[in-house]
Amino acid sequence: MLAFSNAKQVELFLNGKSLGRKDMPHDDFAEWEVPWQPGQLMAKAYTDGQTVAADTVETTGAPVRIEISPDRTTLKANAEDAVVVPVSILDAQGRVVPDASNHVTFSLASDGFLRSGGLTASPSLFLLGVGNGDPADHDPDKSNQRNAFHGHCMVVIEAGARPGTIQLTASSPGLVSSVVNFEVQ
């Protein structure tokens, strides 16, 4: 296990048990040999004896559901406003599954039109593209589907020129789908 910090020391805990505190070399890292076991791994950073930061990772369960988490749900009806919509694959406890690579399909619905890829008859509905950050993934970005990478992917949608409501659905076989509505004003 490697820890990077600008604090003076870092202490590592496995399931609540300290694996030791180490001095943090300047512009370098501290390293521990950690036997794998399920549970929680936590690093605490210290400067002058005070805890200044902490980070935790936990063993996750199997993927169960999709979560859509846009930073906004209101778009301007100006045929230019777009939003990047992050999508995550979660386990039953709501934790991102870091090795999830589920195939996610996106569809948009608005004013009776459904779009799941290709062009649509509605001028107010655009799925601009998808992505996942995987440098080895060469699937087209102009699509309505993408594999998750490290439990994440994203879709970019544009509102178009007509006010109304756009419904985005993200689905994947075996997972609970997620739906979010965007208001176009």
Side-chain angles (χ1 to χ4, degrees):
M1 167 68 184
L2 301 178
F4 296 86
S5 178
N6 62 356
K8 300 286 185 194
Q9 296 180 315
V10 174
E11 185 172 13
L12 192 64
F13 297 85
L14 178 60
N15 294 324
K17 180 181 177 194
S18 176
L19 300 178
R21 190 184 288 205
K22 296 193 177 191
D23 289 333
M24 202 72 220
H26 181 70
D27 289 336
D28 208 351
F29 59 87
E31 185 174 6
W32 291 259
E33 284 232 4
V34 180
W36 187 89
Q37 58 181 268
Q40 182 184 77
L41 192 61
M42 179 174 60
K44 283 189 178 180
Y46 303 94
T47 297
D48 299 328
Q50 300 286 337
T51 302
V52 293
D55 196 17
T56 303
V57 292
E58 293 183 81
T59 306
T60 60
V64 172
R65 67 182 178 92
I66 300 172
E67 178 180 70
I68 300 173
S69 50
D71 65 350
R72 62 190 172 109
T73 57
T74 303
L75 298 169
K76 296 177 185 168
N78 63 5
E80 294 178 4
D81 197 11
V83 63
V84 176
V85 183
V87 176
S88 301
I89 309 297
L90 307 180
D91 71 2
Q93 283 73 45
R95 301 173 296 203
V96 174
V97 180
D99 60 348
S101 59
N102 301 70
H103 188 77
V104 179
T105 301
F106 301 99
S107 63
L108 292 174
S110 175
D111 302 327
F113 291 95
L114 175 66
R115 180 182 176 131
S116 60
L119 297 175
T120 182
S122 173
S124 64
L125 195 55
F126 299 99
L127 197 153
L128 295 179
V130 294
N132 62 11
D134 181 356
D137 186 343
H138 299 292
D139 289 341
D141 294 333
K142 284 285 210 177
S143 178
N144 70 321
Q145 50 194 309
R146 193 57 143 213
N147 289 332
F149 178 61
H150 293 294
H152 299 284
C153 61
M154 60 109 193
V155 61
V156 181
I157 62 171
E158 183 179 272
R162 290 187 2 207
T165 300
I166 295 175
Q167 184 178 76
L168 171 66
T169 301
S171 59
S172 181
L175 300 182
V176 176
S177 297
S178 186
V179 177
V180 68
N181 289 325
F182 294 89
E183 293 303 318
V184 181
Q185 304 171 342

